[in-house]
Amino acid sequence: MAKTKTPQAIRGTQDIFGAEAESFAFVVETFERVRKLYRFRRAEMPVFEKTEVFARSIGETTDIVSKEMYSFEDRGGESLTLRPEFTAGIARAYLTNGWQQHAPVKLATHGPLFRYERPQKGRYRQFHQIDAEIIGAAEPQADVELLAMADQVIRELGIEGVTLHLNTLGDGDSREAWRAALVEHFRSVKDELSEESQERLEKNPLRILDSKDRRDQRFVADAPKIDDFLTDEARGFFDAVTSGLDAAGVKWVRAESLVRGLDYYRHTAFEFIPDDGSAAADALGSQSTILGGGRYDGLIESLGGPATPAVGWAAGIERLAMLVGEKGEPNADVIVVVEDDDFMSQAFVALGLLRGDGLSAELMAAGSPRKRFDKASKAGPRAIVSLGGQGSLAAPVRSDDEALVNRVGDLLSRSTQFIQSSSPRT
RNA sequence: GCGAUCGUAGCUCAGUUGGUUAGAGCGCCGGUUUGUGGUACCGGAGGUCGGGGGUUCGAGACCCCUCGAUCGCCCCA
């Protein structure tokens, strides 16, 4: 038989296992716990949608839509796309399921997203996010509550050295006026900007503001500020958000040049970013944002729904997992060692008893019988039950934990399979 | 899409200016020792050196292509 080649995993996908998988699970479990504290309701959406769901809401000119989507035709010839983010799909679900009746709704979800990008540290083609959205709430209190939750998730994950960067993009009119002023400002010095920013000038002028290129930064300093274009209403909204955050004890800094990549953002925009020089910044490489979001009051309309205010955020699980440190896999409470294969069935009785009582238990019954105890011992369980070691039905329990020895001894004595020995200790 | 570095056993890596049958540690399997034990010793399995092509008497080493990884740019979580 010809040797079959093992297919490789798809570029930019990951197989997560062991300590890394524990960190990943820790992030998700923490999110689930905190989300219930804030009374966000769990939602599940499909991982793929009609392409137009994303194209229309995210913005045709954004990088995500113009070059990063995994799109394909199904057998009926319809263009479908693997979700590159949660918000658009949630908005669609909100409209097509009549969730409007629950408005305002607080929703939480998590799962895989797909973006066709060059993989690097903290960035994958299939990646995972936790996500929280409040749909149908126009009040700044919604922004405050959403951010308080984000802040608590990060704190409960034990992540340090990360700060909330906050900005406002104003309402639609403010944003447009500001954008026009920025274009004018940068166009006057176009030839002195970096090549990339010259392109951004046409496509996405707001992004010039956070360019890393020195040539751009001199002109960023005296660029028009959003604050000068804010309507009274937009300013009032932002003030309400910031004072709410202060009252809620959420630390934040103003980031005047923080803009978000997607077209649908209005008013509040924010990112949680590691502080310069912190361990977190180090661990993340060039990927800085671990959680980002904002208010998207226009999105639902772009999908054909009624004008509906909403705010949300998403955070990369992989990026968070890199910051929570190693979460080792816990050792077994008990390992049952079969030192003589004649005692195999007793081992299953013992395992059933132990697991039924809530103790994690593992069987060690393969390989050289004489080495099994050593292997069990090496695995570092809280206790070891040895079967057949003395050629008898006795099942000695080895542990430094006296209470556990007694508990295991009591459990085993429930079966006539075992003539309990006088629990010798080591 | 662009750039840099890198691909040798399951894992971490050696492998001299290209030169015989490609090595070590850990892990795994078996045996001996110990005999209430996490020890030590012996032995074994496992590699078409990422894949393909080329240069050469001879390539794991050099060249080209390709796939992948890592790290940046762009952008984002």
Side-chain angles (χ1 to χ4, degrees), chain A residues 253-293:
Chain A
V253 297
R254 178 71 197 273
E256 281 186 323
S257 61
L258 186 153
V259 297
R260 306 229 72 230
L262 314 182
D263 286 357
Y264 54 59
Y265 287 111
R266 298 287 182 279
H267 289 292
T268 321
F270 53 85
E271 294 179 356
F272 281 78
I273 300 175
D275 306 334
D276 282 340
S278 66
D282 229 44
L284 283 167
S286 71
Q287 259 52 250
S288 54
T289 306
I290 58 171
L291 182 154

Side-chain angles (χ1 to χ4, degrees), chain A residues 208-276:
Chain A
I208 300 176
L209 293 174
D210 57 1
S211 168
K212 290 172 190 163
D213 199 302
R214 276 236 175 75
R215 288 170 290 174
D216 300 331
Q217 283 165 354
R218 340 172 252 170
F219 301 112
V220 168
D222 61 340
K225 302 270 191 276
I226 177 65
D227 287 6
D228 298 329
F229 297 85
L230 253 26
T231 59
D232 288 346
E233 206 183 332
R235 181 181 308 282
F237 189 96
F238 190 58
D239 288 344
V241 172
T242 56
S243 60
L245 289 173
D246 291 339
V250 177
K251 291 206 179 68
W252 59 277
V253 297
R254 178 71 197 273
E256 281 186 323
S257 61
L258 186 153
V259 297
R260 306 229 72 230
L262 314 182
D263 286 357
Y264 54 59
Y265 287 111
R266 298 287 182 279
H267 289 292
T268 321
F270 53 85
E271 294 179 356
F272 281 78
I273 300 175
D275 306 334
D276 282 340

Side-chain angles (χ1 to χ4, degrees), chain A residues 8-10 12-18 20-21:
Chain A
Q8 289 176 313
I10 305 299
T13 62
Q14 6 166 31
D15 302 304
I16 309 172
F17 174 73
E20 281 181 13

Side-chain angles (χ1 to χ4, degrees), chain A residues 77-369:
Chain A
E78 182 142 49
S79 177
L80 307 181
T81 295
L82 263 27
R83 44 141 90 141
E85 58 140 46
F86 278 115
T87 308
I90 288 181
R92 189 235 86 219
Y94 175 84
L95 291 171
T96 60
N97 294 297
W99 291 351
Q100 297 158 73
Q101 66 181 309
H102 304 297
V105 242
K106 297 190 279 187
L107 298 171
T109 192
H110 64 83
L113 291 309
F114 306 85
R115 252 122 93 162
Y116 192 90
E117 289 187 278
R118 196 69 179 268
Q120 59 182 272
K121 188 171 200 163
R123 171 198 270 165
Y124 307 93
R125 296 244 272 207
Q126 177 180 332
F127 59 105
H128 303 79
Q129 289 184 342
I130 51 178
D131 181 280
E133 315 274 349
I134 304 180
I135 305 181
E139 312 76 29
Q141 301 88 277
D143 305 47
V144 173
E145 191 176 23
L146 188 81
L147 281 165
M149 177 192 172
D151 187 63
Q152 187 163 351
V153 168
I154 287 171
R155 276 187 288 112
E156 298 219 1
L157 286 170
I159 294 173
E160 315 238 321
V162 169
T163 304
L164 167 58
H165 291 233
L166 189 67
N167 196 20
T168 178
L169 304 173
D171 48 35
D173 291 343
S174 317
R175 179 173 159 150
E176 275 320 302
W178 181 42
R179 179 191 162 106
L182 280 173
V183 171
E184 194 181 336
H185 171 77
F186 286 118
R187 205 190 303 279
S188 67
V189 292
K190 180 173 180 182
D191 295 341
E192 296 175 70
L193 295 174
S194 67
E195 299 74 24
E196 279 148 4
S197 285
Q198 293 189 28
E199 266 184 55
R200 284 191 273 237
L201 191 52
E202 307 305 326
K203 278 179 59 182
N204 199 350
L206 303 198
R207 286 236 80 97
I208 300 176
L209 293 174
D210 57 1
S211 168
K212 290 172 190 163
D213 199 302
R214 276 236 175 75
R215 288 170 290 174
D216 300 331
Q217 283 165 354
R218 340 172 252 170
F219 301 112
V220 168
D222 61 340
K225 302 270 191 276
I226 177 65
D227 287 6
D228 298 329
F229 297 85
L230 253 26
T231 59
D232 288 346
E233 206 183 332
R235 181 181 308 282
F237 189 96
F238 190 58
D239 288 344
V241 172
T242 56
S243 60
L245 289 173
D246 291 339
V250 177
K251 291 206 179 68
W252 59 277
V253 297
R254 178 71 197 273
E256 281 186 323
S257 61
L258 186 153
V259 297
R260 306 229 72 230
L262 314 182
D263 286 357
Y264 54 59
Y265 287 111
R266 298 287 182 279
H267 289 292
T268 321
F270 53 85
E271 294 179 356
F272 281 78
I273 300 175
D275 306 334
D276 282 340
S278 66
D282 229 44
L284 283 167
S286 71
Q287 259 52 250
S288 54
T289 306
I290 58 171
L291 182 154
R295 181 160 276 279
Y296 51 95
D297 289 351
L299 170 58
I300 295 199
E301 267 178 292
S302 75
L303 289 175
T308 307
V311 232
W313 57 254
I317 298 178
E318 288 87 350
R319 290 184 188 176
L320 292 169
M322 285 191 279
L323 301 182
V324 301
E326 289 270 300
K327 300 284 168 196
E329 295 173 281
N331 292 339
D333 289 327
V334 184
I335 294 183
V336 176
V337 182
V338 177
E339 301 205 64
D340 177 338
D341 285 348
D342 288 345
F343 289 76
M344 201 65 83
S345 60
Q346 279 88 342
F348 290 119
V349 173
L351 288 167
L353 257 11
L354 293 164
R355 291 165 177 163
D357 199 52
L359 290 165
S360 66
E362 190 149 19
L363 175 66
M364 183 68 70
S368 169

Side-chain angles (χ1 to χ4, degrees), chain A residues 366-383:
Chain A
S368 169
R370 304 171 89 170
K371 290 189 173 169
R372 290 176 193 170
F373 192 96
D374 284 355
K375 278 159 74 177
S377 194
K378 253 186 179 172
R382 290 171 59 207

